Amino acid sequence: MQKNVLKESPYSINKAVKILNNEGIVALKTETVYGIACNPNSIFSIESVYNLKKRPTFNPLIIHVNTLEMAKKIAVFNNLSEKIAKYFWPGPLTLILPRRKNKLVEDLAVSGLETIALRIPNSKVFQKILKKFKKPIAAPSANPSGYISSTNARHVSDSFGKKIELIIDSGKSHFGLESTILDLSKKKLYITRQGIITPEVIKKIIGVNIEISDYLIKKQKPISPGQTKKHYAPKTPLKINVRNPKKGDALLFFGNNKNYTFNPSLNLSKKGDLYEAAQNLFDYLRKLDKLGMKRIVVTPIPFEGIGKTINERLLRASVDG
Ligand code: TXA
Ligand code: MG
């Protein structure tokens, strides 16, 4: 491991807070994926994050807070959004809300939009840092724009080397897929990114209909700037729903399938558990990508519950160009 990677400890946590206060950037675990944290009040830090990720500045960052009180300083809540926040936070649900403009979050961090993406993360390390930092923290996923997200410290260091002053190693992210994004800023309720929390679960809690806005699947116009077609993609071309791998392929499969003695291959979950598959997905895609084979091929993954999100990520990863 490189020198800029430190195990989670009171020392590394204090160091992270110092770096954030000095307009630096730090990689941290969340329960979904690793993020690159910065102070959204500092133009310099925000620019560093955009440059590092090679992310277009029209694609706004998610802002993380540790209390509803802090959230209310930068976003406008109504009864419904407060109910949803109280039920799902801390946790893997990001809410798009009308923005309350002030210096806690610079325009640049939210691409000058009238709305803001917010969540309280459940990760202990992130919560401790938010508590000490006492201000909101912007944190996009810790991957070069378009590439596979990071679910452990090694992925972050593979992608960015020493360009991040500090990477705190807190082990694997619990879920392994990004938060669900629920847009509450429009008349209708939209899920603009599928994630850990399924639309069915949200509907059950709030009793209001929710649409999934996915222009790749539904051929709709994107309603969120981040809904790019190709994303989460390895450098190796990826093909989904392949049952018979060929020579030159690297195989990713799922469940107790004895037929797959194929080499090279990785099994997302031997016991056929979709949560385990989600946790392994980005790690295994990165591992297979490193082999430099002609193609990565993936067998069909059950289209149910969190399996729908896994399928959506793989579909985006398989889009050409
Ligand atoms: O699980 C997660 O959400 C992780 C961890 C680190 O918290 N973060 C993450 O951030 O996935 P990022 O930047 O990779 O994805 C943020 C998404 C982008 O697709 C962006 O377009 C969308 O959120 N977004 C941010 N602000 C928005 C806004 N005001 N309106 C619509 N979409 C927004
Ligand atoms: Mg991302």
Side-chain angles (χ1 to χ4, degrees):
M1 276 275 170
Q2 305 194 16
K3 272 194 184 154
N4 59 335
V5 183
L6 293 181
K7 286 255 176 248
E8 181 186 330
S9 68
Y11 171 76
S12 57
I13 286 174
N14 281 333
K15 188 166 170 173
V17 174
K18 253 185 224 157
I19 293 173
L20 290 172
N21 275 317
N22 287 329
E23 303 190 274
I25 59 177
V26 181
L28 299 177
K29 181 175 99 161
T30 85
E31 72 276 32
T32 57
V33 295
Y34 271 64
I36 308 176
C38 78
N39 180 356
N41 164 245
S42 152
I43 300 274
F44 180 82
S45 319
I46 303 164
E47 277 177 348
S48 314
V49 170
Y50 275 101
N51 291 338
L52 184 70
K53 277 181 63 83
K54 297 198 167 55
R55 178 177 177 125
T57 49
F58 61 76
N59 191 3
L61 309 178
I62 293 183
I63 310 297
H64 300 68
V65 291
N66 63 337
T67 60
L68 192 56
E69 195 191 340
M70 175 77 74
K72 285 181 176 172
K73 287 188 183 162
I74 53 179
V76 181
F77 284 76
N78 60 20
N79 288 342
L80 179 66
S81 43
E82 186 154 339
K83 181 175 169 188
I84 296 173
K86 281 186 172 155
Y87 191 89
F88 290 101
W89 286 354
L93 181 68
T94 296
L95 302 180
I96 309 289
L97 295 166
R99 179 178 166 217
R100 212 181 276 288
K101 277 194 190 183
N102 56 52
K103 285 284 166 192
L104 284 170
V105 176
E106 284 288 347
D107 277 353
L108 183 64
V110 292
S111 308
L113 294 178
E114 301 292 322
T115 54
I116 187 164
L118 261 187
R119 80 179 185 104
I120 300 186
N122 199 8
S123 124
K124 291 284 158 287
V125 67
F126 213 133
Q127 291 223 351
K128 284 179 189 165
I129 289 173
L130 279 161
K131 202 167 171 198
K132 282 176 186 264
F133 189 59
K134 298 191 180 79
K135 283 173 289 184
I137 293 177
S141 54
N143 52 290
S145 192
Y147 193 65
I148 309 159
S149 301
S150 294
T151 53
N152 63 41
R154 162 85 59 181
H155 297 159
V156 186
S157 130
D158 278 354
S159 284
F160 299 111
K162 292 192 183 133
K163 290 182 189 153
I164 299 180
E165 205 175 328
L166 174 63
I167 299 169
I168 298 188
D169 180 357
S170 309
K172 291 201 248 193
S173 287
H174 179 71
F175 291 115
L177 294 174
E178 295 80 356
S179 61
T180 305
I181 301 184
L182 176 62
D183 190 339
L184 296 172
S185 71
K186 302 189 170 57
K187 265 201 184 139
K188 281 190 187 167
L189 271 53
Y190 290 99
I191 293 218
T192 58
R193 182 173 71 190
Q194 298 177 68
I196 301 300
I197 297 178
T198 59
E200 291 77 19
V201 169
I202 305 173
K203 267 184 218 166
K204 219 170 149 186
I205 304 305
I206 61 175
V208 178
N209 196 39
I210 304 172
E211 286 190 23
I212 298 178
S213 144
D214 190 319
Y215 83 112
L216 181 63
I217 293 165
K218 294 194 175 168
K219 312 244 181 304
Q220 290 167 334
K221 268 179 135 184
I223 63 165
S224 153
Q227 286 178 304
T228 48
K229 248 194 200 166
K230 191 180 172 86
H231 203 353
Y232 317 104
K235 295 194 177 83
T236 314
L238 182 138
K239 205 160 175 352
I240 50 174
N241 298 327
V242 173
R243 286 174 201 274
N244 298 307
K246 293 190 212 136
K247 198 168 171 275
D249 288 343
L251 174 71
L252 188 62
F253 68 107
F254 172 82
N256 186 9
N257 192 329
K258 292 194 183 72
N259 300 328
Y260 286 128
T261 47
F262 191 84
N263 191 21
S265 71
L266 286 172
N267 188 345
L268 285 168
S269 169
K270 286 195 182 106
K271 53 183 186 219
D273 175 350
L274 287 166
Y275 278 93
E276 185 181 30
Q279 197 189 42
N280 288 329
L281 180 69
F282 291 148
D283 183 38
Y284 287 6
L285 283 177
R286 279 175 174 259
K287 282 191 172 128
L288 296 179
D289 199 20
K290 272 190 180 170
L291 301 178
M293 306 295 284
K294 274 199 194 126
R295 297 192 305 177
I296 295 172
V297 297
V298 191
T299 60
I301 308 287
F303 199 77
E304 61 197 41
I306 202 175
K308 289 185 187 167
T309 305
I310 297 176
N311 275 290
E312 183 268 344
R313 298 296 193 270
L314 287 168
L315 177 64
R316 282 214 150 69
S318 71
V319 174
D320 289 325

